[in-house]
């Protein structure tokens, strides 16, 4: 009986983590913002126990910082942190793409194609939350197609810290349009099984993301204690 009860509890705090992560990624909870447990519990319509478990999960991902005796806050990254982390993720994504192009199956490629069409529809509507969600799925599937569990675990750990910033990198229309073009090319290179080409493109894609984020930070459009401006 105890085991039956524990399953929904686990599912609940994981679901709370999904919703809380979305709020952070989309900028509803800004970098440096304190997490008010009472307000969040009311907003998410849950008790504080699953909320605290969710906060611990996001702290393990690097999205949330636990403050000794002061609760928790949305994690902040300095310009150097951003540059260093994007440098690492660019290498990981490049390796993922190279291996995926060599190892991907037809069914996986078809799924990525289908998601790409959905993502393009979201882009046409300028629906950034939906676009970003599908975009993240595509990057995850490319990584999975590399068939390297160590690479996947490392990529997930590093990428988790960058989710909110990758979302914001599309605030500039021209840069968003360029990213879409790069994604179209990714699908073409995957289909052609062009390992070297996809590796190079993914590294370039992440360098562009880094530069877009750093530009936003330096222009003051990513405020440490306020919402990012679109």
């Amino acid at each position: 009986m105890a085991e039956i009860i524990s399953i929904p509890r686990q599912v609940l705090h994981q679901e709370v983590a999904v919703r809380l992560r979305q709020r952070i990624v989309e900028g509803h909870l800004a970098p440096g913002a304190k997490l008010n447990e009472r307000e969040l519990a009311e907003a998410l319509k849950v008790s504080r126990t699953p909320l605290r478990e969710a906060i611990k999960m996001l702290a393990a991902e690097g999205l949330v910082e636990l403050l000794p005796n002061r609760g928790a806050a949305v994690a902040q990254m300095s310009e150097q942190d951003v540059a260093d982390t994007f440098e690492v993720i660019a290498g990981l994504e490049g390796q993922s793409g190279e291996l995926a192009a060599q190892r991907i199956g037809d069914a996986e490629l078809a799924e990525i194609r289908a998601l790409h069409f959905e993502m393009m529809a979201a882009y046409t509507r300028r629906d950034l939350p939906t676009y970003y969600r599908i975009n993240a799925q595509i990057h995850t599937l490319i990584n999975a197609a590399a068939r390297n569990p160590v690479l996947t675990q490392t990529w997930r750990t590093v990428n988790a810290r960058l989710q909110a910033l990758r979302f914001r990198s599309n605030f500039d229309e021209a840069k968003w349009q360029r990213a879409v073009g790069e994604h179209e090319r990714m699908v073409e290179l995957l289909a052609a099984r062009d390992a070297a080409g996809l590796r190079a493109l993914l590294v370039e894609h992440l360098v562009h993301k880094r530069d877009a984020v750093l530009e936003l930070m330096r222009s003051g459009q990513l405020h440490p204690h306020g919402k990012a401006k679109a």
Side-chain angles (χ1 to χ4, degrees):
M1 191 67 179
E3 290 182 1
I4 295 174
I5 293 172
S6 69
I7 293 172
R9 281 183 179 176
Q10 183 183 25
V11 170
L12 180 59
H13 82 253
Q14 289 175 345
E15 175 60 28
V16 174
V18 168
R19 291 156 66 189
L20 188 54
R21 186 186 297 109
Q22 182 178 10
R23 287 178 175 238
I24 293 171
V25 168
E26 295 181 8
H28 303 296
L29 292 167
K34 289 287 295 292
L35 299 182
N36 185 307
E37 288 188 4
R38 181 182 57 78
E39 291 180 1
L40 284 172
E42 289 178 2
L44 299 173
K45 296 180 171 53
V46 294
S47 68
R48 292 196 184 187
T49 299
L51 176 61
R52 286 170 180 160
E53 289 300 313
I55 288 172
K56 288 179 185 175
M57 284 180 64
L58 298 191
E61 294 179 7
L63 277 178
V64 167
E65 181 182 2
L66 300 178
L67 309 172
N69 304 314
R70 291 185 292 129
V74 179
Q76 298 184 77
M77 296 177 73
S78 67
E79 287 187 23
Q80 191 60 54
D81 290 334
V82 169
D84 291 344
T85 309
F86 269 101
E87 186 173 65
V88 173
I89 201 69
L92 294 172
E93 294 239 5
Q95 187 173 19
S96 295
E98 181 177 14
L99 294 175
Q102 296 167 354
R103 301 170 179 174
I104 195 167
D106 291 342
E108 293 167 298
L109 181 58
E111 184 176 3
I112 288 173
R113 281 187 188 279
L115 284 171
H116 178 72
F117 287 128
E118 286 185 42
M119 188 184 76
M120 291 300 294
Y123 171 69
T124 300
R125 299 191 305 271
R126 296 306 188 267
D127 178 356
L128 182 54
T130 300
Y131 171 91
Y132 178 78
R133 177 179 55 77
I134 300 170
N135 180 295
Q137 286 180 265
I138 291 171
H139 282 277
T140 299
L141 287 173
I142 291 173
N143 177 268
R147 311 250 197 285
N148 186 316
V150 176
L151 175 60
T152 292
Q153 183 56 51
T154 308
W155 175 79
R156 283 177 180 167
T157 300
V158 178
N159 190 55
R161 300 188 65 207
L162 293 171
Q163 290 182 77
L165 295 177
R166 290 180 77 150
F167 180 88
R168 288 161 175 74
S169 70
N170 296 309
F171 282 172
D172 180 279
E173 177 66 28
K175 292 181 175 61
W176 191 3
Q177 186 176 12
R178 181 178 64 192
V180 168
E182 289 167 351
H183 263 267
E184 291 182 327
R185 184 70 179 140
M186 280 177 213
V187 177
E188 292 172 1
L189 291 170
L190 261 180
R193 306 313 200 261
D194 185 344
L198 187 53
R199 181 186 189 109
L201 177 62
L202 278 162
V203 170
E204 181 182 15
H205 184 65
L206 270 295
V207 167
H208 288 157
K209 292 286 179 188
R210 177 203 66 193
D211 291 347
V213 169
L214 289 175
E215 187 176 318
L216 285 170
M217 293 178 78
R218 290 164 183 164
S219 66
Q221 293 183 70
L222 288 181
H223 295 287
H225 296 289
K227 286 187 179 180
K229 289 190 267 184

